[in-house]
Amino acid sequence: MKSKLFNLIILIMISAFPLFSYSNEEEIVIEFEGKDLHFYNKDYDDEIILKKDLRLYINDFEITTNEKTSEYLSDFYKRTEFIYDEVENLKDDGIDIGLDGGALGISAIAGVFKMLLPDYDSDDFERDIEIEAEKIESKAKVLEKRGQRLEKAVNRLENDLEKLKEIIPELNELKWL
């Protein structure tokens, strides 16, 4: 249980920045700068900016969109915003679980000394530790389910990006996308 929890916490912390990496043949970075969504490839000079009001720019040139395209851009923006917020929340909650685990370790040390008392034995110690460990494990299971939901959202975001490439010809002109 401890190694799974530790790995999950590390994964969340590592994946928090950059927000989302989409690997095609190249790596695409998607991140918020204020309320604007920026995506780019570090190996190219191109940058795509999707404003909160759904104006789309490629290399500082505004791309003309229609109502259908705006719907897809809105879905993409909202899904990315959800992913960003959820990554932040998962990271914070993962840190809290890690701190709970650390506190449990300290409690275990204190419990060893408590066993020196006549009214507290190893069965009491084991029971107390197991109760606290179960609380932490329960929190970790909730976190894991949220992580799975996040993974599905990221997969949908990848599909959304492919759909945007289909309906916005200017995106297909970018070699790295």
Side-chain angles (χ1 to χ4, degrees), residues 94-152:
I95 290 169
D96 289 344
I97 290 171
L99 292 173
D100 289 346
L104 178 60
I106 292 170
S107 294
I109 293 169
V112 169
F113 289 108
K114 221 171 147 181
M115 285 193 306
L116 298 173
L117 300 172
D119 294 340
Y120 193 83
D121 62 17
S122 62
D123 291 335
D124 296 324
F125 172 72
E126 187 175 331
R127 181 198 65 238
D128 291 346
I129 294 300
E130 283 182 16
I131 289 170
E132 293 305 312
E134 286 173 6
K135 290 178 186 176
I136 294 170
E137 188 172 353
S138 176
K139 289 179 183 179
K141 285 180 182 179
V142 169
L143 196 67
E144 182 179 15
K145 286 180 184 176
R146 288 175 49 207
Q148 290 168 348
R149 192 172 107 210
L150 179 63
E151 183 179 3
K152 288 177 184 176

Side-chain angles (χ1 to χ4, degrees), residues 8 17 25 30 32 47 52 62 64 73 133 141 144 147:
L8 179 62
F17 301 101
E25 291 174 14
I30 301 176
F32 278 97
E47 180 179 42
K52 183 156 180 77
E62 187 169 4
T64 304
L73 289 171
K141 285 180 182 179
E144 182 179 15

Side-chain angles (χ1 to χ4, degrees), residues 61-104:
F61 294 103
E62 187 169 4
I63 305 302
T64 304
T65 58
N66 58 35
E67 191 174 324
K68 180 182 176 187
T69 305
S70 291
E71 284 179 33
Y72 283 106
L73 289 171
S74 176
D75 290 345
F76 186 83
Y77 186 93
K78 288 175 185 173
R79 192 174 327 277
T80 305
E81 194 171 43
F82 164 78
I83 290 169
Y84 180 85
D85 291 342
E86 190 62 9
V87 164
E88 286 297 308
N89 292 333
L90 283 171
K91 179 184 72 167
D92 292 343
D93 293 348
I95 290 169
D96 289 344
I97 290 171
L99 292 173
D100 289 346
L104 178 60

Side-chain angles (χ1 to χ4, degrees), residues 8 18 23 28 41 50 55 58 73 91 150 162 166 169 174-177:
L8 179 62
S23 290
I28 298 170
N41 182 306
L50 176 57
R55 288 179 293 140
I58 298 176
L73 289 171
K91 179 184 72 167
L150 179 63
E162 290 303 315
E166 289 174 20
L174 301 173
K175 293 178 184 176
W176 53 268
L177 190 59

Side-chain angles (χ1 to χ4, degrees), residues 50-57 77:
L50 176 57
K51 302 271 187 183
K52 183 156 180 77
D53 64 5
L54 305 179
R55 288 179 293 140
L56 180 67
Y57 294 85
Y77 186 93

